[in-house]
Amino acid sequence: MDDFTTRLKRAVVGEPDASLVYLGNFEVEEQWARGEHTLPRVSAASGSAVVNHMDEFALLLAGPSDHVVLKAAPDADYLDHLTGLGIVLPTVHVVADQNPLRNVTEDALADPALVEALSGLDAHLVAHGVSEVEERLAAATGLPLAAPDAATCKSVNSKVYSRRVADELGLRQPAGWACDTLEQLERAFTEAAPLVERGEKVVVKEALGVSGKGIAVLESPRRMDRLFRMIAKSVEKSGQPRIAFCVENWVAKKTDLNYQFTVGRDGVTHFDFVKELFTEGGVHKGHRMPARLSGAQVDELVATAGLLGKKLSADGYFGVVGVDAMVDPDDGLYPVIEINARNNMSTYQVPSQERFVGAGQIALARHYPLRLTGELGFGTVRTLLDGLVLERRGGTGLLVNNFATVNAGARDDAAFDGRLYGIVVGSSDDEIAAVDAEITTRLAKEDRR
């Protein structure tokens, strides 16, 4: 059976041995949402710096004949560690002058020498997601995009699109309304008001929100009225009458799921995996693989992926698709909460999972938050976690799959937040929990929180 990277190349280029140039432009939704009406949100520069350095995830997604564009050169000790594990790395291109507040594509466009170097490659450009910025880089380098155009990608990533597709296909989803006019939003709020009045929650989602941003939870009629007036005022001020929001009933759930499939240029859909989201205190921390589902539940998701793949293909999309789903308290499925027609966090874990998670093993992909007062080298972390780092397939321990995010927020003479991303592999949930706890304890020695 082909590995994931080979299947991806066959799907988006049509050739399993094609050379790809990877861009890890995480939170591409920020580009898609420009000019759209949004909900109040708070973001910090340090958080943006960490998100933008998530581009290093692409390092382990690419194959040896591929190229990866990064904001910063990877830690040399980290690269040595990866090659010591037997991983043959792609060619790395580093931007000349990275800006913490720009994503990797924007940095690449600002580097004429890099644009020229990429122009000489016989390769296709593949991104986390395609916006107008990635189209500009493709035009500047002459590299063909291994993806649909930005307008198509934006359209199929809208939560309004997700709701309407689920309705069209007769797929179960929480009660809700897709709104692209103020009149539709007012009607949705009117119909949702009885839910709030009897103590249930209603959530309003921006069509292109990401990572928990662009969501408002309404628990009172007053809050609902205030939010509507705010959106109406924004529409009046902008002169842009079109909006894009979803209003949904907040339903009880047992488990969050993420499943992925790949749609080829020929319309053929391949189901890749389903993973169970790992949360702490209600906050998403990572993925457990495999998901603890029955065969019937998996079959339902595979069938849903087939339906969604046909619809997406008909609407001009091909490439990776991640879908958020839920298990209700009675083990029934909500098979479509949101369609993400782009790479997902779990996409970047697949090659490592194929290589290092042995038969009968399970894995937990997560991140460890750090509060630091100075930059931390991989060598120091490797020593600190001695005996806890994965050394081989079938073994137990942590495989670090992004180190750039540890020091991305570093500032002169100031404390900063970082994240260490990795996949904990073991033979049981208890074993993984024990390794995870020990990693957390040892990292606390370097944490200056």
Side-chain angles (χ1 to χ4, degrees), residues 92-307:
V92 174
H93 304 263
V94 180
V95 302
D97 185 22
Q98 76 94 11
N99 182 328
L101 301 184
R102 292 192 306 225
N103 71 23
V104 65
T105 314
E106 293 169 314
D107 277 341
L109 276 168
D111 184 348
L114 175 58
V115 169
E116 183 178 356
L118 295 178
S119 299
L121 300 178
D122 180 16
H124 286 69
L125 197 63
V126 62
H128 180 78
V130 175
S131 72
E132 179 268 340
V133 183
E134 287 65 49
E135 286 186 326
R136 284 198 283 126
L137 183 60
T141 60
L143 296 176
L145 273 171
D149 60 75
T152 298
C153 291
K154 176 179 176 177
S155 173
V156 299
N157 274 280
S158 167
K159 294 178 179 62
V160 169
Y161 177 88
S162 292
R163 278 209 65 89
R164 289 177 174 163
V165 165
D167 283 340
E168 178 185 329
L169 297 176
L171 301 171
R172 184 192 185 203
Q173 58 183 332
W177 303 263
C179 310
D180 45 32
T181 68
L182 274 177
E183 291 75 21
Q184 289 176 349
L185 184 63
E186 185 175 30
R187 190 180 311 120
F189 278 3
T190 298
E191 295 182 21
L195 297 173
V196 175
E197 289 168 355
R198 64 173 178 252
E200 297 187 42
K201 294 180 182 178
V202 169
V203 61
V204 180
K205 302 177 181 179
E206 291 177 13
L208 295 166
V210 63
S211 300
K213 292 178 282 190
I215 296 178
V217 179
L218 308 180
E219 300 182 73
S220 72
R222 175 183 290 184
R223 170 74 171 129
M224 187 177 287
D225 181 62
R226 186 184 304 126
L227 184 62
F228 179 79
R229 285 188 282 107
M230 185 209 75
I231 295 172
K233 184 176 181 180
S234 174
V235 169
E236 181 182 2
K237 183 178 180 180
S238 70
Q240 167 57 270
R242 188 184 61 81
I243 63 173
F245 294 100
C246 287
V247 181
E248 294 179 350
N249 186 200
W250 187 292
V251 296
K253 64 183 177 183
K254 178 180 178 182
T255 309
D256 286 301
L257 303 172
N258 173 257
Y259 62 95
Q260 178 178 294
F261 56 92
T262 308
V263 181
R265 286 178 178 265
D266 56 4
V268 174
T269 297
H270 183 279
F271 188 86
D272 296 323
F273 57 74
V274 55
K275 298 181 181 180
E276 182 180 324
L277 269 65
F278 166 66
T279 59
E280 283 183 347
V283 178
H284 174 215
K285 295 290 187 179
H287 299 89
R288 182 196 188 274
M289 51 196 99
R292 289 165 286 196
L293 297 173
S294 69
Q297 288 172 320
V298 173
D299 288 345
E300 182 176 345
L301 295 179
V302 172
T304 301
L307 294 173

